[in-house]
Amino acid sequence: MNFDAHCDIWTDVTHHYLRGESDIFRKYHYERLKKGDIEGGIFVIWNDPPFDKDPLKRTRQMMEAIAQEEPLCADILTIARSYRDIQTAKKEGRMYTLIGLEGLKSIGEDLALIEEFYQFGARHAGLTWNEANPLATGIKGDPKRGLTDVGRQAVKKIQDLGILLDVSHLNDASFWDLLGVANGPVVASHSNCRALCDQKRNLTDAQLKELAKTGGVVGLNSFNEFVHDIESQQTLENLVKHLDHMVEVMGIDHVGFGFDFAEFLCGDTLSSFSSQSTPYTIGLEDASQVPGVIEEMRRIGFHPDEIEKIAYKNWHRVIEEVIG
């Protein structure tokens, strides 16, 4: 079974919710995840363009959609607020998800909103998406601008509440500022290796090593532009080379999956971050094809116990430690 630490399913759920639909996860996502042996993951609240002009309004819309979905799909999906919830869901044969916050643009400087989101169920958070905001700077912001004083306070609040702290999307200055003030495990839920594909969203070997020192995990990202600079080389085989490199740099206990599948996103949203006609790695078009990743890992020599760690155990360890 596999744990996917980054998925935008709540974005799609919200699109359908605003059209008056319900029981959306079951209709549009469940069977695909089941076919891919995805037992659980992190579904994020994201202020998706072009709906990011009023980020707090969009966040609340997504929370409304999640609140509608939770009881309707409770027989097949548990929204986990503790590690015990995950264990119970697994035992009873249900998928499970943690609610994530992909960026905190929505809060401005109001740190009290982090606690409100926690009470709603959020157990994961990053400070930014690609933008600069009052807390920190994403990869499209000023490369010299890092965390703000409010951002440092946000890091402490996130960790004090027991929320997974995520560095994905931060620029290098913000990454190092965050590592300078954080305590305990820090994760990159969906990032690859800059040594293999020179994209700002990918992590350097030095960054990978520092995340491992915190006890954190990095999730392998299937978004094609983070796999290889040449489109024809954005293949499953080359994606798994990123995973292999992470293991070499960080050790087997600090690598997992964070696939960031986006094939179901609408055109305007997708085009805000994708410059190619499709967002997926060749051979890994959606979550149903995740078993192919496991097969490729076996082919290049990963042992069954190593595959289990990467597939779900490493994420479970960090979740249990941070969230409790």
Side-chain angles (χ1 to χ4, degrees):
M1 302 301 288
N2 304 301
F3 182 93
D4 181 359
H6 187 84
C7 188
D8 291 302
I9 280 176
W10 293 141
T11 299
D12 189 60
V13 166
T14 303
H15 288 325
H16 290 283
Y17 165 76
L18 293 173
R19 297 187 186 110
E21 295 185 55
S22 61
D23 208 8
I24 299 156
F25 175 77
R26 188 190 315 271
K27 291 177 185 175
Y28 296 101
H29 297 283
Y30 179 64
E31 290 301 328
R32 182 180 68 257
L33 297 179
K34 189 175 179 181
K35 186 176 179 181
D37 291 331
I38 305 294
E39 68 167 29
I42 300 173
F43 299 172
V44 295
I45 293 174
W46 170 43
N47 301 140
D48 49 318
F51 306 103
D52 56 344
K53 303 301 185 290
D54 188 339
L56 184 56
K57 177 182 177 181
R58 185 60 170 179
T59 296
R60 295 205 188 284
Q61 282 181 337
M62 297 186 81
M63 291 166 70
E64 289 171 8
I66 294 166
Q68 174 185 267
E69 279 294 291
E70 184 167 11
L72 295 176
C73 64
D75 59 316
I76 57 171
L77 179 71
T78 292
I79 295 180
R81 293 168 173 86
S82 67
Y83 187 64
R84 181 178 295 176
D85 289 345
I86 290 174
Q87 292 175 305
T88 300
K90 284 170 64 72
K91 182 179 179 181
E92 297 178 357
R94 294 189 302 275
M95 289 183 189
Y96 57 87
T97 182
L98 302 174
I99 297 173
L101 301 167
E102 188 173 20
L104 289 171
K105 181 180 180 180
S106 62
I107 74 168
E109 295 187 352
D110 185 358
L111 300 183
L113 285 170
I114 298 175
E115 188 151 1
E116 178 187 327
F117 297 157
Y118 177 84
Q119 293 301 324
F120 177 74
R123 295 295 182 270
H124 155 279
L127 299 182
T128 75
W129 185 55
N130 290 335
E131 83 288 342
N133 64 34
L135 307 179
T137 312
I139 56 126
K140 291 187 177 180
D142 180 352
K144 295 180 181 179
R145 181 182 186 267
L147 262 64
T148 64
D149 289 341
V150 179
R152 291 178 174 86
Q153 294 171 43
V155 167
K156 184 177 189 307
K157 191 168 193 68
I158 287 166
Q159 293 198 303
D160 286 350
L161 284 169
I163 297 173
L164 280 173
L165 180 61
D166 191 352
V167 298
S168 293
H169 288 284
L170 291 179
N171 69 359
D172 289 353
S174 293
F175 175 98
W176 291 112
D177 282 353
L178 184 148
L179 264 288
V181 297
N183 294 298
V186 177
V187 306
S189 62
H190 58 304
S191 295
N192 289 345
C193 307
R194 210 176 296 179
L196 301 187
C197 181
D198 190 14
Q199 288 269 2
K200 291 179 181 179
R201 268 285 284 109
N202 288 341
L203 299 172
T204 66
D205 286 1
Q207 291 172 322
L208 294 171
K209 288 175 183 176
E210 287 303 312
L211 289 173
K213 287 179 183 178
T214 73
V217 176
V218 175
L220 182 74
N221 191 331
S222 71
F223 179 60
N224 52 15
E225 294 181 40
F226 302 158
V227 175
H228 201 285
D229 295 331
I230 301 170
E231 191 166 349
S232 64
Q233 295 300 307
Q234 294 166 350
T235 62
L236 174 60
E237 293 76 16
N238 282 330
L239 174 64
V240 174
K241 288 179 182 178
H242 283 265
L243 185 148
D244 197 30
H245 184 79
M246 288 179 194
V247 171
E248 183 179 346
V249 171
M250 304 178 73
I252 194 69
D253 295 321
H254 303 286
V255 183
F257 297 147
F259 290 118
D260 198 12
F261 291 117
E263 82 288 345
F264 51 79
L265 296 179
C266 68
D268 288 345
T269 298
L270 191 60
S271 64
S272 69
F273 62 87
S274 178
S275 64
Q276 296 181 188
S277 58
T278 63
Y280 49 73
T281 290
I282 299 165
L284 188 60
E285 283 75 16
D286 61 43
S288 70
Q289 296 180 306
V290 168
V293 178
I294 305 300
E295 183 179 334
E296 177 64 10
M297 290 170 66
R298 290 195 190 101
R299 189 190 71 79
I300 67 172
F302 280 92
H303 300 298
D305 58 334
E306 295 175 322
I307 292 172
E308 269 197 328
K309 284 187 173 187
I310 291 169
Y312 72 93
K313 284 186 174 180
N314 289 339
W315 279 118
H316 277 214
R317 170 183 55 80
V318 173
I319 290 166
E320 184 177 16
E321 180 177 350
V322 173
I323 296 174

